[in-house]
Every structure is written in C-alpha cells, then in structure tokens.
Amino acid sequence: MRNEVRLVVNGQPETVSGVAPHTTVLNWLRARGLTGTKEGCAEGDCGACTVMVGTPKVEGGFEWTASCSCILVVPQLDGRALTTVEGLRDASGHHPAQVLMAEGGGTQCGYCTPGFVMALANLSRRPERDDETILDAISGNLCRCTGYRPILEAARALPHVPTPEIEAGEAAQLLAQTKDGLTYTAGGVRFIAPNTIDEAVEAHAEHPEAWILAGGTDLGLRITKRHEVPPALLWLGRIAELKTLSETKTGLSIGAGVTYEDAVPAFNRLHPELGDLVRRIGGAQIRSVGTMGGNLGNASPIGDSMPALIALSAEIEIAGPRGKRRRVAAADFITGYRKTVLEPDELIFAIHIPKPHPEAQFRAYKVARRIDQDISAVCGAFRLRIEGGVVVDAVSGWGGVAARPVSGEAWAAVLLGKPWTFANVEAAKAALLASDVSPITDFRGAAEYRRTVCAGLAQRFWHETAGDVPVASLEAV
C-alpha cells in the first residue's frame, strides 16, 4: 500500500507525505505560499476558496470541476490535478477570466475575486453557455460588495478556452502512478482509500471509529467549524462501483458515490422537477463534490434529496460483508436524528428510483431564504395519480419538519379513493399538520412558520395539478 499522495499542482507533479490527512486543501495551499485562494466561510458557502480539480478520464485528459478547497482534505486529491488562481497564467499571459474581471471592473474589493475567477475559468472550458449556465456557475460565489453586473458581463464575454495538449500526458501519468491502493498515515491519523466496495466494508468493520468520507461537504465542517480531529478517515472516492449510473425502462440506479452534478442530467430525464431540486443543493462547487449517498448517510432532517426519494418510492441498496446486499425503502432508511438502519459493517451502495407512471404528477418544493446556496426551512415533495376522477396513488415526503425526513402517511390516507377536490385537499392538509409533521423552532424558521409552509405547499400542489387557475412562480428578482 502507498503512503503518499500523488497529484499535479498548477502543472507540476507533487508528492505529499507527512501532512495530516485531515488538513484542508485550503490550509495546505496557503501554507505553501499559494495565498491567492482565500478563506471566507470555511464551510463551502462563499466560494472565496474555489479551485479547479481535474479528475483523469479513461479516454484521456481531465474532467475539470470548480470545488471549494476549504472542506476538501489533501488526500482527496490523490491522482488528481489542482489548479489555483496562481496557476491560470501561462506563457501567453493571464487567463481571459482574469483579464475580463480586471478590465471590466468586476474585481470590487478584491477579496472574493480569485474565487470568481476560478469559477469563470472552469466555465471557460465549456464551448457553449448561456445566462442560465453562467448564473449556475457562479451561484456558489457569494460576493458581498457592489454587485454582479460587471461579473456577469465578464462571464458573457468569456471565450472558450480549449484543453491544452499537455493535459493528456499529465492525466495518463497520474492514472499510472495511482493505480495501487492508498493507505496514508500522518500526524497519528490514518486515511484509508479502498478500491472496491467489499474492501470498504471490510475496512469499515476493522476500523469502526473511522469517519466515512464521500464528498465531505457536510463532514468537512466537523474539521473546519468544530475543530475535530478524526481518529481515521475511510474515503470512498476511489471506488468505481459507487460511481455508476444506469437508466432502464423501469427506472434509475445511482451509485452512492455519484455526485449531485453528475446525477442532475439523469434526474432531468426522469423528472425535471427532481433535477431542479438537486440543482439547488449548494452551488456548483458543492454539487461537483457532494454525493447522493453522502446526502443520505449523514441522515440530516433537512437533507433535500430524501423527501423527493420518499415521494418517488425509491429504495436504498446497502452493501454488507461478503458481498451481501439488501434494500430498504427510502421512507424507512433514516430512523431518527442522524440515525439510519445501517449496521456497523454496512455502507450505502446505490439508490434505485422507479420510473414514474406515465399519468403520475410529481412536484418538489424547496423553501429557503435564497434560491441558490441555502439550506431548506421546509422541503416537500408530492406524487399523485388520478384514475376515473379519483386519487389512486398519493405519496408525499417532507424535510425540515421533524427529527428526520418523513412520509405524509395521514395526508395520503385522506386522499386515496376520493376525488381530487379542494375540499378533500383541505382535509388531507389538516391530517398532515395533525399527524405527519412536528416541526421545531430554530434559526431557519419557527415551528408555526414551518407548519404554515407545509399547509401552503399542500395547497400549491393542488392548484398546480388541478388546473383551476394559472400558476406563476417567481423565484428571483
């Protein structure tokens, strides 16, 4: 097993040893003098620490993503390329994103500028773009200065930057140098990076104290905010089995290691509402790293994917020792606050979502203070099917309204077998508030506010599906 991390930084091969595995990429970069990368929030929200991470592709070259370096730990870069704002300049001069930001007045106070530049530099690798993709690319960069106009103008004028030929050789070399397994130890902390799910399950049983690390978009905050030191880290990022995504006539199977960003196109094909919901899970820098399995495994009551998975009757596939597999309904997977059905020797393997009935209607609503880069106060998802004027299928999932995501069982019980009328929806809404949801008051919303939102979403779903009046949605001004 290899006890060193191998990567490429700004075009130069690097070998890392002696650096504690829980050291964030941001802190490591700044300690090496690459101080253009800034720390703003240390939780993946502001984008000041944005870097570009390149993952080698089998067909050659890198798949580049903008990522937050403040919550990535150094060994997560094993076998990857890293570009910081200092590395954008080449023999021909500064990167177009740097030039356009500076000459167009987009730099403002300057502190957030490197993060914006890196987000735009990553965007420049895309040959085609429009305002929607531009806004999506910088949604994770929360500048708090004078405004976005000059930044948007710089983005609109950004030329396509072709892939440098040298990257093909760098990617091939990294793939060859990091084929062997990685078990990296420094500072008294072990970083275990298995290559298969069976190896991961075995390592989990042998090291039950290890933190299970997928993308780290939630777990990283224990390091940056709580200043915790993990006894060990079990990273699932090298396991190809967890990154598979397959679509069939019956549904969609998503490996637990598939990132939000990679899952969105498939979700859009399954149901656009689901894709829109997942697109609001953090900014692009978070979605490029965070995984579907990680979103379920942290068992948060405000995790946005679970309400939709409940409403779609998804199943969670679990991997156990000696190749054992079992499936659990999404509604039953999380059992309490930060608790799941997983046994000590089990890991999440995949999520299976059945294809909706052709006549089924599906909606997913996220209510938060901002459209982008915010955590839900309430998330509600609904599936409905009507035959012969009566409801034959009704399922809803809710987040932010209890200690865990819940299914609206009382809501459904009132509706099944009855006409889809406003009177029946009002009765179902009353049952929902009486039996299904039990919100608390915290800094994201008061309990009564959350109850009011639940009631409003139930009514909104009826208005959008009953077709009685035109429905308008104002998401941002």
Side-chain angles (χ1 to χ4, degrees), residues 78-92:
D78 183 59
R80 297 180 177 183
L82 177 71
T83 300
T84 71
V85 71
E86 294 90 349
L88 290 181
R89 181 184 173 95
D90 59 21
S92 62

Side-chain angles (χ1 to χ4, degrees), residues 33-382:
L34 296 173
T35 54
T37 308
K38 307 299 185 185
E39 179 179 308
C41 64
E43 57 187 41
D45 277 343
C46 76
C49 69
T50 302
V51 294
M52 287 172 58
V53 176
T55 302
K57 298 184 293 186
V58 176
E59 62 270 25
F62 292 105
E63 180 72 32
W64 288 98
T65 57
S67 302
C68 289
S69 61
C70 69
I71 50 177
L72 285 174
V73 294
V74 172
Q76 283 180 274
L77 296 180
D78 183 59
R80 297 180 177 183
L82 177 71
T83 300
T84 71
V85 71
E86 294 90 349
L88 290 181
R89 181 184 173 95
D90 59 21
S92 62
H94 288 96
H95 191 280
Q98 295 171 307
V99 175
L100 289 165
M101 284 283 284
E103 294 182 351
T107 56
Q108 304 181 63
C109 83
Y111 191 84
C112 64
T113 301
F116 271 106
V117 165
M118 295 308 299
L120 293 179
N122 192 71
L123 180 67
S124 73
R125 294 297 187 104
R126 300 177 63 167
E128 298 179 3
R129 68 187 80 99
D130 53 20
D131 273 5
E132 183 178 349
T133 57
I134 288 171
L135 290 171
D136 192 50
I138 60 173
S139 65
N141 296 80
L142 301 184
C143 172
R144 293 167 176 83
C145 293
T146 58
Y148 278 94
R149 181 188 56 78
I151 299 172
L152 290 173
E153 290 177 350
R156 289 168 181 146
L158 192 66
H160 172 232
V161 177
T163 301
E165 292 182 5
I166 193 173
E167 287 188 3
E170 291 176 350
Q173 188 174 20
L174 273 175
L175 280 174
Q177 290 178 344
T178 56
K179 281 184 177 179
D180 52 333
L182 175 68
T183 300
Y184 175 78
T185 303
V189 178
R190 175 178 289 187
F191 185 93
I192 308 164
N195 289 323
T196 69
I197 187 63
D198 290 336
E199 289 177 3
V201 169
E202 184 178 347
H204 185 28
E206 292 177 357
H207 303 278
E209 78 287 354
W211 295 4
I212 308 301
L213 179 64
T217 56
D218 186 72
L219 201 61
L221 273 65
R222 292 178 63 181
I223 296 170
T224 63
K225 293 298 185 180
R226 299 181 188 175
H227 306 291
E228 295 182 33
V229 176
L233 288 165
L234 175 57
W235 185 46
L236 308 180
R238 290 175 60 95
I239 303 175
E241 300 160 275
L242 297 183
K243 298 179 181 180
T244 59
L245 192 156
S246 61
E247 300 176 66
T248 67
K249 293 181 179 180
T250 59
L252 178 64
S253 294
I254 311 157
V258 173
T259 65
Y260 307 131
E261 197 70 23
D262 288 341
V264 164
F267 288 156
N268 286 336
R269 289 188 289 272
L270 184 73
H271 207 299
E273 291 273 345
L274 181 58
D276 289 344
L277 176 70
V278 174
R279 198 206 65 79
R280 292 183 61 195
I281 299 180
Q285 294 94 322
I286 294 298
R287 296 197 307 275
S288 69
V289 177
T291 66
M292 291 299 299
N295 195 244
L296 304 183
N298 68 24
S300 170
I302 50 174
D304 286 332
S305 64
M306 186 55 91
L309 295 179
I310 290 173
L312 291 170
S313 297
E315 291 184 327
I316 315 303
E317 184 176 355
I318 296 168
R322 295 175 296 280
K324 292 182 179 178
R325 301 284 189 272
R326 65 185 179 108
R327 293 193 183 192
V328 177
D332 301 325
F333 180 75
I334 299 177
T335 58
Y337 183 73
R338 302 284 185 177
K339 296 180 180 179
T340 72
V341 298
L342 289 173
E343 297 293 338
D345 56 356
E346 292 181 326
L347 295 169
I348 302 171
F349 184 71
I351 301 104
H352 301 281
I353 307 176
K355 190 174 183 179
H357 189 281
E359 301 300 320
Q361 301 188 73
F362 174 77
R363 297 289 189 281
Y365 308 113
K366 174 175 178 172
V367 178
R369 290 184 175 134
R370 298 189 306 268
I371 290 297
D372 295 306
Q373 279 290 82
D374 207 358
I375 295 174
S376 295
V378 173
C379 185
F382 301 85

Side-chain angles (χ1 to χ4, degrees), residues 400-421:
V401 297
R404 64 182 184 91
V406 296
S407 175
E409 295 180 0
W411 176 84
V414 171
L415 293 171
L416 287 171
K418 297 178 182 176
W420 184 235
T421 64

